[in-house]
């Protein structure tokens, strides 16, 4: 549509064709089904001889607009939009995997994705192994004849580690595997995994894409022939995104670049402040020079993202005391919101893991994860500073 334009312009100017009302802003198509001109139109539509909307479980103008924007941002051929990020993860993998297949995944992945691999996929005889993100050479040793997909996230949650996407892309290509990247932490503005060899990119639209903590959504974009399979599976199983949420998200994407720029600017300032604080053991942020993968982060990301992790001196007790002293920041599990959020992974999202499992995902007792929002940075720092004191 507007491929020759820049990211920000496409995000704003990609929109559905105007109706005869000549609306400036795209209307909401709150309709479950669509009508046919006549019997022949109906027959041809059901036979999929024409591309048109039939039923909103399959497609809807608002979801199509949202998908088109994400495809442009990620440099993808096609996509499908889902009711949540987890619906995207599940449907994408379920559409591509057969009984007997094996998934090779990074260990540091979103908690529910980990549960999918460990608690549910075994029901369908789908196996997995985890590779350590610091051991890219070890990955090839874990590939078996049954391996079909390599799955990873970068930056990781909550450890804010960085995976070398280009290296992963090369391994996937060499072994003819499908590389699936959950790009939710970076957003398509900061990082486009397809450039580095990913075949499919998944987002939870709930995070930076919406950016204001309003709607749940997910989207998968990538190679046409893979998306076709995802579409076939999803039009039958019904995880479709609602037109209302698609409309909200398509609007949100108009401001993604400016919002994420500010998120990153604030996050870097907070990370730099924490790095010099005597109450803090360590700070992790991809665009801090002290980050072990700083060079790779610089290579594959435009900026460091909205999440900063750090460890309060004094372990669990000090961590909990820190949280009880927070005044403005929200104690919540979400991220990528205009409101800054602090979480304590060891006592919440990662409390069910063993100490070793926690260590493997980068979680320590005194670790704090901050999703840095869009409030004035002075106020964010002031709240964290007084809580540390
Ligand atoms: C939140 C999140 C998901 C799941 O998204 P929902 O919209 O909550 O279902 C998947 N992956 C990552 C990295 C996430 O942060």
């Amino acid at each position: 549509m507007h491929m020759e334009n820049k990211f920000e312009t496409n995000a704003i100017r990609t929109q559905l064709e105007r109706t005869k009302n000549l609306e400036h802003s795209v209307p909401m198509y709150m309709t479950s089904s669509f009508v046919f001109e006549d019997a022949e139109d109906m027959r041809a539509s059901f036979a999929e001889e024409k591309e048109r909307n039939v039923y909103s479980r399959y497609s809807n103008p608002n979801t199509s607009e949202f998908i088109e924007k994400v495809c442009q941002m990620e440099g993808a051929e096609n996509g499908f939009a889902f009711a949540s990020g987890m619906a995207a993860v599940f449907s994408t993998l379920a559409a591509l995997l057969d009984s007997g297949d094996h998934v090779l995944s990074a260990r540091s992945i979103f908690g529910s994705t980990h549960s999918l691999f460990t608690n549910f996929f075994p029901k369908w005889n789908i196996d997995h192994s985890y590779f350590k993100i610091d051991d890219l050479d070890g990955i090839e040793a874990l590939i078996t004849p049954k391996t079909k997909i390599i799955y990873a996230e970068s930056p990781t949650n909550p450890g804010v580690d960085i995976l070398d996407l280009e290296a992963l892309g090369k391994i996937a290509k060499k072994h003819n595997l499908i590389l699936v990247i959950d790009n939710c932490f970076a957003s398509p503005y900061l990082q486009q995994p397809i450039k580095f060899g990913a075949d499919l990119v998944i987002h939870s639209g709930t995070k930076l894409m919406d950016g204001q903590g309003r709607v749940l959504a997910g989207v998968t974009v990538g190679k046409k022939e893979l998306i076709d399979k995802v579409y076939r599976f999803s039009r039958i199983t019904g995880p479709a995104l609602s037109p209302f949420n698609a409309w909200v998200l398509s609007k949100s994407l108009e401001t993604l670049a400016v919002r994420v720029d500010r998120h990153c600017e604030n996050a870097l300032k907070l990370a730099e402040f924490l790095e010099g604080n005597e109450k803090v053991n360590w700070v992790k942020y991809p665009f801090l020079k002290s980050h072990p993968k700083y060079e790779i982060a610089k290579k594959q990301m435009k900026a460091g993202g909205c999440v900063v992790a750090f460890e309060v001196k004094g372990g669990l007790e000090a961590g909990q005391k820190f949280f009880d002293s927070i005044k403005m920041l929200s104690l919540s599990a979400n991220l990528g919101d205009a409101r800054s959020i602090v979480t304590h992974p060891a006592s919440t999202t990662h409390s069910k893991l063993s100490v070793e499992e926690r260590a493997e995902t980068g979680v320590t007792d005194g670790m704090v994860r901050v999703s840095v929002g869009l409030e004035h940075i002075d106020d964010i720092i002031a709240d964290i500073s007084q809580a540390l004191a």
Side-chain angles (χ1 to χ4, degrees):
M1 227 178 285
H2 299 278
M3 284 310 274
E4 70 281 8
N5 285 331
K6 298 252 191 287
F7 184 100
E8 291 82 348
T9 312
N10 284 334
I12 292 166
R13 288 292 168 179
T14 299
Q15 65 181 63
L16 294 169
E17 220 172 287
R18 291 202 171 102
T19 70
K20 64 178 183 351
N21 292 317
L22 298 181
E23 68 280 350
H24 192 197
S25 171
V26 169
M28 241 187 264
Y29 289 84
M30 296 300 285
T31 179
S32 46
S33 66
F34 300 83
V35 295
F36 305 100
E37 306 273 5
D38 50 36
E40 169 50 23
D41 182 30
M42 187 149 80
R43 185 205 60 78
S45 301
F46 270 85
E48 293 182 62
E49 286 165 18
K50 17 171 122 167
E51 236 181 75
R52 50 107 73 211
N53 295 302
V54 171
Y55 191 56
S56 287
R57 168 148 47 79
Y58 313 161
S59 70
N60 171 282
N62 292 120
T63 55
S64 297
E65 182 187 277
F66 169 59
I67 293 164
E68 171 65 21
K69 283 189 185 182
V70 179
C71 283
Q72 290 188 15
M73 290 175 169
E74 292 283 6
E77 292 169 1
N78 206 351
F80 193 82
F82 300 89
S84 71
M86 279 320 297
V89 172
F90 172 70
S91 305
T92 301
L93 295 174
L96 299 176
L97 293 166
D98 294 314
S99 174
D101 283 346
H102 171 253
V103 182
L104 186 51
S105 170
R107 178 62 193 86
S108 304
I109 46 168
F110 189 65
S112 298
T113 308
H114 165 69
S115 296
L116 188 62
F117 289 154
T118 51
N119 297 337
F120 295 99
F121 276 178
K123 290 210 297 187
W124 298 297
N125 192 26
I126 294 167
D127 202 5
H128 73 279
S129 350
Y130 286 133
F131 62 85
K132 293 198 175 129
I133 60 161
D134 278 333
D135 183 17
L136 283 179
D137 298 332
I139 297 181
E140 291 195 78
L142 293 169
I143 295 172
T144 78
K146 307 213 151 166
T147 308
K148 193 182 254 177
I149 287 177
I150 299 185
Y151 188 91
E153 300 172 9
S154 184
T156 65
N157 177 34
V160 212
D161 284 313
I162 297 288
L163 265 96
D164 187 336
L165 296 179
E166 193 177 359
L168 267 188
K170 282 188 182 141
I171 294 171
K173 191 150 196 211
K174 181 174 160 199
H175 295 271
N176 201 18
L177 302 173
I178 303 167
L179 178 60
V180 182
I181 300 292
D182 179 337
N183 197 28
C184 157
F185 259 58
S187 89
Y189 176 60
L190 297 180
Q191 171 175 286
Q192 294 100 33
I194 289 171
K195 275 192 205 156
F196 302 103
D199 299 294
L200 290 175
V201 174
I202 297 178
H203 282 281
S204 163
T206 316
K207 314 291 169 54
L208 282 167
M209 277 191 179
D210 174 38
Q212 288 154 85
R214 300 166 297 186
V215 298
L216 287 174
V219 62
T220 301
V221 299
K223 287 215 173 96
K224 193 181 170 308
E225 77 258 25
L226 297 174
I227 293 294
D228 280 349
K229 289 189 178 173
V230 174
Y231 170 72
R232 293 278 137 221
F233 180 81
S234 304
R235 76 175 246 159
I236 297 303
T237 53
L241 180 63
S242 83
F244 176 78
N245 285 1
W247 180 86
V248 170
L249 277 164
S250 192
K251 293 272 157 212
S252 307
L253 290 181
E254 294 185 10
T255 59
L256 182 73
V258 284
R259 285 188 288 106
V260 173
D261 272 340
R262 182 63 68 85
H263 276 290
C264 296
E265 190 186 314
N266 281 354
L268 183 60
K269 281 185 188 156
L270 175 66
E272 284 167 351
F273 162 80
L274 289 167
E275 207 162 39
N277 193 289
E278 55 173 24
K279 299 274 167 79
V280 171
N281 277 334
W282 51 258
V283 187
K284 229 159 166 196
Y285 183 68
F287 269 43
L288 274 185
K289 286 210 180 69
S290 58
H291 192 287
K293 302 283 169 60
Y294 173 73
E295 293 301 332
I296 296 170
K298 281 264 173 178
K299 181 183 79 177
Q300 64 195 29
M301 296 175 79
K302 189 182 170 86
C306 67
V307 178
V308 178
F310 66 97
E311 189 180 64
V312 182
K313 278 186 187 156
L316 202 56
E317 208 180 315
Q320 278 166 345
K321 200 158 170 215
F322 169 81
F323 283 95
D324 288 339
S325 309
I326 284 286
K327 291 189 176 134
M328 176 181 80
L329 272 58
S330 314
L331 308 185
S332 174
N334 198 16
L335 67 98
D337 194 303
R339 295 162 190 78
S340 295
I341 294 167
V342 282
T343 45
H344 186 218
S347 69
T348 58
T349 47
H350 290 64
S351 60
K352 290 194 188 75
L353 301 186
S354 70
V355 177
E356 285 144 35
E357 284 178 318
R358 259 185 247 158
E360 267 183 42
T361 56
V363 175
T364 61
D365 283 349
M367 176 182 176
V368 177
R369 187 192 80 181
V370 188
S371 167
V372 185
L374 304 179
E375 302 96 338
H376 197 286
I377 185 59
D378 293 352
D379 296 324
I380 297 171
I381 289 178
D383 195 20
I384 290 180
S385 174
Q386 66 79 28
L388 282 170

